[in-house]
Amino acid sequence: MEEKIDLSNLPKHIAVIMDGNGRWAKKQGAMRIFGHHHGIRSVRDTVEACSEIGIKYLTLYTFSTENWNRPKLEVDGIMQLLVKTIRDEVPELHKNNVKLKSIGDKDQLPSRARRELDEAIEMTKDNTGLTLILALSYSGKWDIIQAVKSIAGEVKAGKMAVEDINETNFCEYLATEEAPDVDLLIRTGGDHRISNYLLWQSAYAELLFMDDIYWPEFRKEHLFNAVLTYQQRERRFGKTGDQVKST
Ligand code: IPE
Ligand code: IPE
Ligand code: MG
């Protein structure tokens, strides 16, 4: 299947809403945290698959602003898992030339998780392969607000004029910084919603809901399949189909 992918028409930026861990665990009579543990293998597969075909940016919805409202036991379990996973996986990521980044309200994270994350980001900062962005304590509305606050600060300090604010420079203030807009947004688990993810950045993303699988079941083949589906879509960006075909 991988051979069928057209390497000249790859999505530059893939974003994933890794959903369904809890339901997957429940299906086998296990605790929700069991599902989160099994989701790590899927993350590894996704990162490897993206690296193999040459995707430049992958953003994974790892923990949302709203997820802080879950029971403390689950939140603590996820944070512990985060620390352990970064520690275990980063050497391999580094070996594979992956550059790790994060977006979200880092101050909300437990200090151990923050430290582990900062070290991993520092260690991989000069890598030139896939940029892997973990969305942690992230929400699209949080991102837009923090960008607006930064811009307002610049205006107040006289460094920027209100008339100069535009779509291009606004992007630079978003947490995703230099990453291009999302081309392909995948959600597993059966729900058809954005859940406050990359709101601005997904304005023209192709949405792909993979209803038949929960996140812990996601494998390389699913990623390759998703890219193939993306390549069958006609992206019109407001133009007509005829216009797009003639270019
Ligand atoms: C996604 O799976 C992982 C996180 C939100 C951290 P869920 O935990 O939302 O699993 P479901 O949707 O309840 O099955
Ligand atoms: C979205 O999943 C967040 C992550 C995958 C980290 P949720 O399971 O939290 O989304 P909702 O609440 O069902 O919309
Ligand atoms: Mg969910």
Side-chain angles (χ1 to χ4, degrees):
M1 181 195 301
E2 191 180 348
E3 337 51 81
K4 288 199 207 134
I5 292 174
D6 173 2
L7 297 179
S8 67
N9 179 28
L10 288 174
K12 285 194 197 68
H13 187 171
I14 298 180
V16 187
I17 302 177
M18 311 185 286
D19 198 24
N21 293 353
R23 278 165 288 163
W24 180 82
K26 204 170 169 190
K27 210 171 66 177
Q28 30 233 315
M31 305 260 288
R32 293 178 56 83
I33 195 73
F34 182 72
H36 299 313
H37 275 271
H38 276 263
I40 307 299
R41 158 88 199 267
S42 310
V43 169
R44 207 181 293 134
D45 261 47
T46 307
V47 171
E48 280 176 20
C50 285
S51 288
E52 268 173 37
I53 57 174
I55 301 293
K56 294 314 276 176
Y57 293 88
L58 171 67
T59 305
L60 300 177
Y61 210 1
T62 310
F63 195 83
S64 74
T65 305
E66 287 76 18
N67 289 149
W68 290 115
N69 297 319
R70 292 192 177 193
K72 186 173 181 319
L73 190 69
E74 180 167 345
V75 171
D76 290 349
I78 293 173
M79 290 301 143
Q80 272 174 25
L81 184 61
L82 177 68
V83 171
K84 183 182 172 336
T85 305
I86 298 175
R87 199 170 291 158
D88 292 350
E89 303 290 330
V90 165
E92 187 69 16
L93 291 179
H94 190 39
K95 215 169 75 194
N96 292 331
N97 201 19
V98 174
K99 180 175 179 166
L100 186 72
K101 287 191 159 196
S102 76
I103 52 174
D105 189 0
K106 248 199 220 170
D107 293 343
Q108 301 300 317
L109 298 176
S111 52
R112 265 184 74 209
R114 208 164 44 222
R115 216 171 28 243
E116 210 63 53
L117 190 63
D118 286 342
E119 278 173 24
I121 291 170
E122 176 63 26
M123 180 178 175
T124 62
K125 71 176 193 307
D126 296 323
N127 288 345
T128 53
L130 172 73
T131 298
L132 169 62
I133 306 170
L134 299 183
L136 281 165
S137 191
Y138 178 87
S139 75
K141 289 187 180 179
W142 168 85
D143 198 356
I144 292 168
I145 295 284
Q146 69 79 30
V148 168
K149 282 183 181 165
S150 300
I151 292 173
E154 303 262 300
V155 170
K156 201 170 154 196
K159 292 185 190 151
M160 194 174 187
V162 171
E163 309 75 61
D164 292 340
I165 301 169
N166 58 41
E167 287 186 18
T168 311
N169 58 27
F170 188 85
C171 284
E172 293 161 15
Y173 290 87
L174 289 168
T176 36
E177 295 173 337
E178 88 297 343
D181 276 355
V182 174
D183 296 305
L184 172 61
L185 174 62
I186 301 169
R187 181 173 190 142
T188 56
D191 287 308
H192 296 182
R193 55 177 173 260
I194 304 290
S195 299
N196 207 356
Y197 199 21
L198 298 154
L199 297 177
W200 173 287
Q201 297 89 336
S202 299
Y204 247 114
E206 292 297 326
L207 308 182
L208 181 57
F209 297 103
M210 301 181 86
D211 294 337
D212 302 337
I213 51 163
Y214 293 130
W215 178 250
E217 297 163 327
F218 195 94
R219 293 290 171 268
K220 277 187 182 182
E221 301 315 305
H222 295 105
L223 191 281
F224 295 143
N225 234 328
V227 172
L228 282 171
T229 304
Y230 165 86
Q231 294 186 332
Q232 283 150 17
R233 303 266 181 100
E234 181 179 71
R235 303 188 79 192
R236 292 192 286 277
F237 296 101
K239 294 183 179 173
T240 67
D242 288 344
Q243 278 179 300
V244 172
K245 281 183 198 75
S246 68
T247 54

